[in-house]
Amino acid sequence: MFARGDARRRQGVNSIVDKAHHPGTPQHSTPFVGKQRKSILYPFLLLILFSILYMNINSREIEVQSTISTTPRQDGGRDVIEKLPINSTMSHHQQQQEQQQEQQQQDHCVIHVHGFHHSGTGVLRQTIYKSLGEHVASIHQDTKAQEDEGQHIQNVYPKFYQRRKFCSNKYYCPEMMTLVSKKKSHKLFRQWVRYWDTTKPFLIQKTPTMDVLFLEQMKIVSTVHAIIIRHPFSWRPPVAKRAKTGKDSGLFALCTWLDVWTHVLGILSDYQVQSFVIVNYEAL
């Protein structure tokens, strides 16, 4: 082992001596020279990285600006939809109709009354209607639907009894959020407005569900959500009537009440709803 090591050392020394006697032979760069070259390359690499980052930031700013220019903005607590240039192929009559419709929407405020079945949504609707006054408020009337509820005079989203198949919870149905679009929002408003007196600024709609977030995302006019809460021990859902015992129905009602109100209070505390009020049924 010692002999081999000595031979390797002598061979290395001989190679260094030969390079010194023959300067024309190519010499390999030493580690020190390699570090110098790397230190020279670092500023160029940093310059290239900064230029790439700068280009990405500019492109993102352009995308954000284009997005902001095409989304609704909030102005004085009321939704103001950006007016896009009217297509030149539209007739003058169609342009006037669209302008009248936009003006009509900006002059109204929709009040949605939410709550469980048999929790006082009908009482709350009448209380709001009488408090505002018939000269400024309108409710759905002469619809030939059950209790003149808004869910029965539209076909944009499923009614409560139709949600059993595809909704994880029938009262707030998170799966319905996939239906949110500007086109369907205008369609829903047109279907409801047929049974309102549009000469009144406040338009009241009542449905015994908790579609607060869905209707907030579907709004095209200023919107307020009036949500009624009733003590869980004095409320029973419609399906509880089919329970075998009173104990089972009470447990089902309590679990449903806790689940739904956990969802509703969660979205309200996260500021996902702009304007709302919670009314205690026992206080009416």
Side-chain angles (χ1 to χ4, degrees), residues 41-202:
L41 290 176
Y42 284 153
F44 293 101
L45 293 175
L46 290 175
L47 181 61
I48 294 172
L49 289 175
F50 279 123
S51 62
I52 294 173
L53 290 174
Y54 181 75
M55 293 173 63
N56 290 335
I57 292 172
N58 286 340
S59 62
R60 289 180 182 178
E61 289 180 353
I62 294 171
E63 291 177 0
V64 170
Q65 291 176 358
S66 61
T67 304
I68 293 175
S69 62
T70 57
T71 53
R73 66 178 189 272
Q74 303 296 328
D75 187 9
R78 299 175 66 91
D79 286 345
V80 181
I81 301 176
E82 294 285 353
K83 293 184 179 181
L84 300 178
I86 300 176
N87 191 353
S88 58
T89 59
M90 296 174 57
S91 64
H92 181 68
H93 179 66
Q94 290 176 341
Q95 294 178 8
Q96 287 183 340
Q97 285 183 341
E98 287 198 356
Q99 291 175 357
Q100 291 176 359
Q101 185 178 4
E102 290 181 359
Q103 183 65 31
Q104 185 184 49
Q105 291 172 0
Q106 293 177 5
D107 293 340
H108 289 95
C109 174
V110 174
I111 302 175
H112 294 292
V113 178
H114 305 273
F116 288 110
H117 290 86
H118 316 301
S119 64
T121 54
V123 176
L124 181 58
R125 174 177 59 179
Q126 291 299 323
T127 301
I128 297 173
Y129 179 60
K130 292 180 180 179
S131 299
L132 292 174
E134 298 181 0
H135 60 289
V136 295
S138 175
I139 59 177
H140 284 144
Q141 292 179 335
D142 302 326
T143 63
K144 298 181 180 180
Q146 181 180 359
E147 298 187 16
D148 291 326
E149 294 177 355
Q151 64 172 339
H152 299 304
I153 55 176
Q154 57 80 37
N155 59 5
V156 174
Y157 65 93
K159 304 170 181 62
F160 180 80
Y161 66 87
Q162 297 174 335
R163 303 180 185 183
R164 182 185 300 272
K165 295 182 179 180
F166 65 94
C167 287
S168 57
N169 189 296
K170 294 194 295 182
Y171 273 104
Y172 56 86
C173 191
E175 291 79 6
M176 287 198 319
M177 298 304 296
T178 58
L179 302 176
V180 175
S181 68
K182 185 177 180 180
K183 182 178 180 180
K184 291 184 178 180
S185 299
H186 285 275
K187 181 180 179 181
L188 179 62
F189 186 80
R190 287 195 302 268
Q191 291 179 351
W192 278 343
V193 81
R194 290 181 297 176
Y195 301 97
W196 279 324
D197 183 358
T198 55
T199 61
K200 314 294 178 58
F202 296 100

Side-chain angles (χ1 to χ4, degrees), residues 22 29 35 52 75 103 135 160 221 236 261 275:
H22 303 280
S29 60
K35 290 183 180 179
I52 294 173
D75 187 9
Q103 183 65 31
H135 60 289
F160 180 80
V221 298
R236 292 293 182 272
W261 272 108
S275 301

Side-chain angles (χ1 to χ4, degrees), residues 29-39:
S29 60
T30 61
F32 178 75
V33 176
K35 290 183 180 179
Q36 284 184 336
R37 291 182 179 177
K38 290 181 181 179
S39 62

